[in-house]
């Protein structure tokens, strides 16, 4: 295959490495000229993706922030070959899928929403890895849900990345779920580490601290765009956790051991149910 990758950060760079390692020809583009140059010199890509060779791509990944992905796809849609499969890798799905499905219908190519559930606390091409997606979940938002051969073809095209479980859902359901599983975790982690006590933690912290603060080290520009784009589902999750935290706070303030035990028990049982 000839694979195009627009956006050579952690996700796009890792996708480029995975497909090139699997023997495919990879063309890449990034607005940062130094990133693009490094990708060529380091052999991460075979050449630059441009308007002239865009039509040669069998598969095109768009690994940009949501608004940037919409802008890029809108600009190039008329140049995409009808045989090309376009998959975005954005962290939210409703707006990019609405745009992608509409443009695909107009110009005849295939668009599928995608969200690889993998990452690191560090961003940029220097942290890209060919095995970033190995065994990781991948969420797909296809234009149709009842075409088994179509979905099998997409899964085959994604096989060089090495994903584990591939889930198929709607854009709306994706954004609702991701508000809980990813976005809320980043907000909580980022807020938690702002405690003044955090500056004195060395020698007093172990796994719990590391687990809870890992994703506090984030790209604030990307995550602020994702949070605002998925505003309503994220606000629901924030309201839910604030309500729960308030219950714990009141029980501790009132020295109410029975209530506190009940709250902690409920949380433990909820975790057991979640883990099966």
């Amino acid at each position: 295959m000839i694979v195009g990758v627009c956006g050579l950060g952690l996700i796009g760079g890792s996708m480029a490495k995975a497909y090139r390692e699997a023997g495919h020809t990879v063309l890449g583009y990034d607005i940062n000229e130094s990133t693009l140059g490094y990708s060529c010199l380091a052999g991460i890509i075979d050449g630059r993706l441009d308007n002239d060779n865009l039509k040669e791509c069998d598969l095109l990944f768009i690994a940009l922030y949501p608004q940037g992905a919409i802008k890029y796809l809108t600009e190039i849609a008329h140049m995409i070959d009808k045989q090309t499969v376009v998959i975005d890798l954005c962290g939210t799905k409703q707006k990019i899928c609405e745009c992608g499905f509409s443009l695909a219908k107009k110009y005849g190519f295939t668009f599928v929403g995608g969200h690889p559930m993998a990452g690191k606390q560090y961003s940029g091409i220097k942290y890209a890895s060919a095995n970033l997606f190995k065994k990781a979940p991948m969420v797909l938002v296809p234009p149709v849900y009842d075409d088994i051969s179509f979905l099998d073809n997409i899964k085959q095209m994604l096989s060089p990345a090495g994903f584990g479980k591939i889930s198929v859902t709607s854009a709306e359901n994706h954004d609702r779920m991701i508000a809980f599983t990813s976005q809320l975790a980043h907000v909580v982690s980022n807020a938690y580490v702002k405690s003044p006590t955090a500056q004195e933690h060395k020698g007093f912290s172990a796994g719990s601290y590391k687990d809870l603060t890992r994703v506090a080290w984030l790209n604030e520009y990307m995550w602020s765009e994702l949070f605002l784009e998925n505003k309503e589902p994220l606000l629901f999750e924030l309201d839910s956790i604030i309500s729960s935290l308030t219950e714990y706070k009141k029980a501790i303030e009132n020295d109410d051991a029975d209530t506190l035990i009940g709250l902690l028990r409920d949380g433990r049982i909820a975790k057991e149910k979640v883990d099966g």
Side-chain angles (χ1 to χ4, degrees):
M1 284 191 299
I2 297 178
V3 181
V5 182
C6 178
L8 295 169
L10 174 66
I11 300 300
S14 295
M15 200 65 82
K17 282 188 171 185
Y19 276 80
R20 195 162 191 275
E21 190 174 277
H24 300 284
T25 299
V26 178
L27 304 174
Y29 173 75
D30 195 278
I31 194 171
N32 186 314
E33 190 64 32
S34 62
T35 296
L36 186 55
Y38 169 77
S39 299
C40 290
L41 290 172
I44 297 171
I45 60 175
D46 294 286
R48 299 188 178 206
L49 176 69
D50 56 33
N51 293 347
D52 293 327
N53 57 30
L54 181 66
K55 281 186 175 293
E56 300 173 15
C57 294
D58 301 293
L59 176 61
L60 174 63
F61 288 112
I62 303 179
L64 303 172
Y65 299 176
Q67 291 303 315
I70 290 171
K71 182 175 185 294
Y72 175 73
L73 185 56
T74 301
E75 291 173 350
I76 67 162
H78 67 286
M79 294 182 280
I80 300 174
D81 189 83
K82 287 184 169 68
Q83 302 304 312
T84 301
V85 173
V86 180
I87 302 178
D88 87 278
L89 303 175
C90 299
T92 55
K93 295 269 73 81
Q94 290 192 73
K95 291 184 179 179
I96 182 61
C97 284
E98 181 181 355
C99 172
F101 293 148
S102 175
L103 290 171
K105 184 177 181 180
K106 180 177 181 179
Y107 293 106
F109 61 89
T110 298
F111 177 86
V112 178
H115 186 184
M117 303 305 297
K120 300 177 181 178
Q121 63 265 47
Y122 308 110
S123 59
I125 188 69
K126 67 181 291 188
Y127 298 106
S129 169
N131 64 3
L132 180 66
F133 308 113
K134 296 293 184 185
K135 305 300 181 183
M138 174 63 160
V139 182
L140 295 179
V141 179
V144 293
Y145 299 92
D146 56 354
D147 189 333
I148 301 302
S149 62
F150 172 81
L151 292 173
D152 283 344
N153 181 54
I154 299 301
K155 291 176 181 179
Q156 284 299 314
M157 297 186 85
L158 288 170
S159 61
F163 290 111
K165 180 179 175 57
I166 295 182
S167 301
V168 177
T169 189
S170 67
E172 182 179 13
N173 190 57
H174 168 278
D175 289 359
R176 181 179 66 85
M177 294 303 298
I178 220 68
F180 171 71
T181 62
S182 178
Q183 295 182 344
L184 178 64
H186 282 77
V187 172
V188 171
S189 179
N190 196 265
Y192 170 79
V193 81
K194 290 178 181 178
S195 167
T197 314
Q199 301 303 316
E200 307 168 28
H201 81 88
K202 291 183 179 178
F204 295 88
S205 58
S208 298
Y209 172 83
K210 291 178 181 178
D211 289 345
L212 192 49
T213 60
R214 181 181 67 83
V215 293
W217 200 325
L218 47 68
N219 179 330
E220 60 269 24
Y221 299 101
M222 180 185 75
W223 283 100
S224 62
E225 183 173 326
L226 292 173
F227 293 161
L228 293 175
E229 186 156 311
N230 204 29
K231 179 178 178 179
E232 295 306 322
L234 181 54
L235 284 175
F236 171 81
E237 297 299 340
L238 284 168
D239 286 340
S240 296
I241 196 171
I242 289 169
S243 176
S244 292
L245 287 171
T246 301
E247 291 185 84
Y248 288 91
K249 181 175 183 288
K250 287 180 178 178
I252 294 168
E253 281 178 341
N254 297 328
D255 294 315
D256 187 347
D258 289 340
T259 298
L260 185 57
I261 289 169
L263 290 169
L264 294 170
R265 181 188 299 114
D266 290 345
R268 173 178 57 78
I269 292 172
K271 173 61 173 171
E272 290 173 356
K273 290 181 178 179
V274 167
D275 289 352

